[in-house]
Amino acid sequence: PSPAHLGVPGRLGPMPRFPHEILKPVSATLSGPPDDRSLVVELAPFDLDGDAIETAFQFDAIPGLPETLEACVGREFVFPTNPAPGAVDGSICMADAHHPADLTRLTIDRDGSGFRARLDCRVVLSFEGLQNAEDEDYDDFEVTLETPIGE
């Protein structure tokens, strides 16, 4: 079991896996000045255990990104996870809670006449807690998202 499972009274097995394949990005927007950029990744609405969810990933104060998407093309930006210095604070709201999300890697490439982003994220559901239909806590997870991006 992962560290999230250790020391949980009454927990006999692994926590249920969050069905991260339901997270389908539709667009992303990068805004703000260099060294304080924000990134919002809008997700298509999805159903989670019978609840309709409309949400987005929000990442703030992203360090080290150039001023334009054009200047980001072909580069890889890697970030540590919280609480390490240089980590990117982010979250995703589900079930009336903001669940922490770490942006760990970002690449931006050309896509026809626009740009496309690829993000690696770590989502921490164990902080606020998110339960499935059987009242079992979902486990933390990592996910890669790919989506068109604009400014």
Side-chain angles (χ1 to χ4, degrees), residues 8-150:
V8 178
R11 170 65 60 202
L12 297 177
M15 297 169 104
R17 177 188 161 279
F18 182 86
H20 62 78
E21 57 278 350
I22 64 176
L23 303 177
K24 299 186 185 322
V26 293
S27 67
T29 304
L30 188 63
S31 61
D35 289 329
D36 194 21
R37 309 288 317 256
S38 293
L39 177 63
V40 176
V41 180
E42 298 289 339
L43 300 174
F46 58 91
D47 179 87
L48 181 63
D49 296 318
D51 292 328
I53 309 273
E54 291 185 31
T55 193
F57 280 98
Q58 171 78 43
F59 299 101
D60 295 315
I62 305 172
L65 293 184
E67 191 169 338
T68 65
L69 287 173
E70 182 66 40
C72 294
V73 170
R75 295 176 60 186
E76 178 180 68
F77 303 93
V78 178
F79 309 99
T81 58
N82 275 304
V88 176
D89 288 323
S91 67
I92 180 172
C93 186
M94 293 185 287
D96 298 322
H98 283 83
H99 302 280
D102 292 323
L103 176 63
T104 58
R105 188 172 74 88
L106 172 66
T107 58
I108 297 172
D109 290 305
R110 291 189 209 296
D111 184 25
S113 61
F115 298 94
R116 188 160 192 82
R118 180 181 171 103
L119 306 86
D120 291 341
C121 310
R122 178 176 176 266
V123 181
V124 182
L125 298 178
S126 58
F127 183 75
E128 290 286 341
L130 181 64
Q131 296 180 330
N132 64 13
E134 288 78 37
D135 292 328
E136 299 171 313
D137 289 327
Y138 279 118
D139 201 358
D140 300 345
F141 65 94
E142 295 181 1
V143 64
T144 298
L145 307 170
E146 293 189 41
T147 185
I149 186 170

